[in-house]
Amino acid sequence: MTTTHTLETADFAIVYDVHGPLPTADGRPPLVMVGLPMDATGFTTLASYFPDRTVVTYDPRGLGRSTRKDGRVDNVPEVHAADLHALIDALGAGPVEMFASSGGAVVSLALVTAYPDDVTTLVAHEPPLISVVPDAAAAERARAGYRDAYEAKGFGAGMAGFIAMTSWQGEFTDDYFAQPPADPAMFGLPTEDDGSRDDPLLSDRSWAVSGYRPDIAALAAAPTRIVIAVGEESLNTFTGRAPVAAAELLGQQATVFPSHHGGFAGDEFGYPGQPEAFARKLREVLEGNTE
C-alpha cells in the first residue's frame, strides 16, 4: 500500500510517498530514503526490497513533483535539511531510520547536525564532500571543469565531463587536467546542445552540496548512529574517496556496500547496480551489523 501526500508551507510544497502503514506494522521507525538531486523515483527498486518496512520517499523542493516558492534555484544542504525535518515532523512517527545517497547523504549529515533527535540510525552512502579529501583544491577545479563544459556546450558535454571526473582513479593530478575534453558520443550522450542550462547536477546550483563542510564535533555528539557507506566499485574514485575520508574524521571505517555510486538502483537510470545485494547489506547494517 502506497499513499502520496503533499506537505505545503510558505516556502515549498513537498510531495512524499509512504510505502506501508503509519504507525508502522512492526513497531520499528519508518525508513526514510533521501537523495539529491535525485527524487523519489530513484529509490523505486530499493524500496521494493523492504516490503516488511514502512518506507518513505520524497521529492526535495524544486525537484520532481515538489515545488519551491522562495524564488531560488540553488540547492543548500541546510535548507533541504530543514525541509526534511519538517517532513519527519509531519509523519508523526519520528525519530526515523534513514538511508541517504550522494547529495542526499550530505543533506542527512546537515539534518543530524541541526536536528540530532530526528534520526536513530543514518546510513550515509557516498556523500560527495570535496572539503574532506586531501586534493580538495584540485577536486574543485575538476568540478568547475564539467560545469564549464556544460555552460559552453550543453548537457552532453557537461555529463561527459562529470563522468570523466567521477570515474577518475585516485587524486586529481596534472594528468587528469591534461586530458582532452570528454567526448559525449563515447558515452552515448547527445552531442547537440538543447540550450538549457538549469540542470541541478551539471550547473553550479548544487555547489553548496559538494562544498559542504561537515561539523564533525556536532555529528560525533549526536545520539544518531551514523554509518558512512561506500560502494566497492567506487573506492579509488572521488565518490569513494570522500566517504572514506569522512568516515575517518568520525573515527570509523567506511562500510563497504556492493556495486557503485548508484548501486541500489535497478533500471531507473540505465546504469543498474546490484539492488538485491545492496538491499541485503543495508538491512544488515540497519540491524546493527556493520562488519
Side-chain angles (χ1 to χ4, degrees):
M1 178 182 68
T2 298
T3 57
T4 299
H5 311 263
T6 301
L7 172 62
E8 190 155 3
T9 73
D11 283 342
F12 62 74
I14 285 180
V15 178
Y16 64 98
D17 304 302
V18 180
H19 309 267
L22 278 178
T24 61
D26 58 2
R28 294 187 65 178
L31 173 57
V32 179
M33 297 183 177
V34 183
L36 187 79
M38 187 180 76
D39 61 28
T41 57
F43 293 114
T44 301
T45 299
L46 181 61
S48 73
Y49 285 103
F50 289 87
D52 56 320
R53 298 289 305 272
T54 295
V55 175
V56 179
T57 56
Y58 79 108
D59 296 350
R61 69 162 67 190
L63 298 167
R65 301 161 295 174
S66 296
T67 58
R68 61 191 306 170
K69 313 170 193 177
D70 57 0
R72 297 174 60 168
V73 296
D74 57 337
N75 291 304
V76 177
E78 293 87 349
V79 171
H80 285 289
D83 294 354
L84 191 49
H85 170 69
L87 173 58
I88 292 169
D89 187 59
L91 292 174
V96 301
E97 293 185 336
M98 186 169 290
F99 170 74
S101 177
S102 194
V106 176
V107 170
S108 72
L109 295 175
L111 173 72
V112 171
T113 298
Y115 308 98
D117 296 321
D118 276 4
V119 185
T120 57
T121 296
L122 164 65
V123 181
H125 182 252
E126 298 202 2
L129 296 166
I130 287 178
S131 65
V132 303
V133 297
D135 57 329
E140 289 178 349
R141 181 183 170 192
R143 178 183 64 177
Y146 72 74
R147 186 277 313 270
D148 292 348
Y150 174 62
E151 291 293 336
K153 297 183 177 180
F155 174 81
M159 182 57 74
F162 176 79
I163 294 171
M165 176 189 175
T166 55
S167 61
W168 180 259
Q169 299 292 309
E171 296 188 7
F172 295 107
T173 62
D174 290 343
D175 287 342
Y176 174 82
F177 296 106
Q179 298 178 110
D183 180 3
M186 288 184 59
F187 302 105
L189 294 165
T191 56
E192 297 295 320
D193 184 353
D194 67 3
S196 64
R197 294 295 185 271
D198 57 357
D199 189 282
L201 180 66
L202 302 178
S203 67
D204 57 10
R205 295 183 176 190
S206 297
W207 276 19
V209 176
S210 54
Y212 180 75
R213 295 181 178 273
D215 186 333
I216 299 301
L219 294 172
T224 307
R225 172 179 167 245
I226 300 173
V227 178
I228 305 294
V230 61
E232 62 184 351
E233 297 175 25
S234 305
L235 284 168
N236 202 34
T237 67
F238 168 71
T239 62
R241 294 190 297 115
V244 168
E248 290 175 353
L249 290 173
L250 288 168
Q252 60 178 260
Q253 286 190 326
T255 299
V256 178
F257 272 64
S259 199
H260 48 66
H261 189 64
F264 53 88
D267 293 325
E268 290 92 341
F269 308 111
Y271 184 39
Q274 301 174 36
E276 183 175 4
F278 194 103
R280 186 164 54 248
K281 180 67 176 182
L282 178 56
R283 187 180 292 274
E284 292 172 359
V285 170
L286 291 172
E287 291 174 354
N289 179 10
T290 56
E291 297 301 320

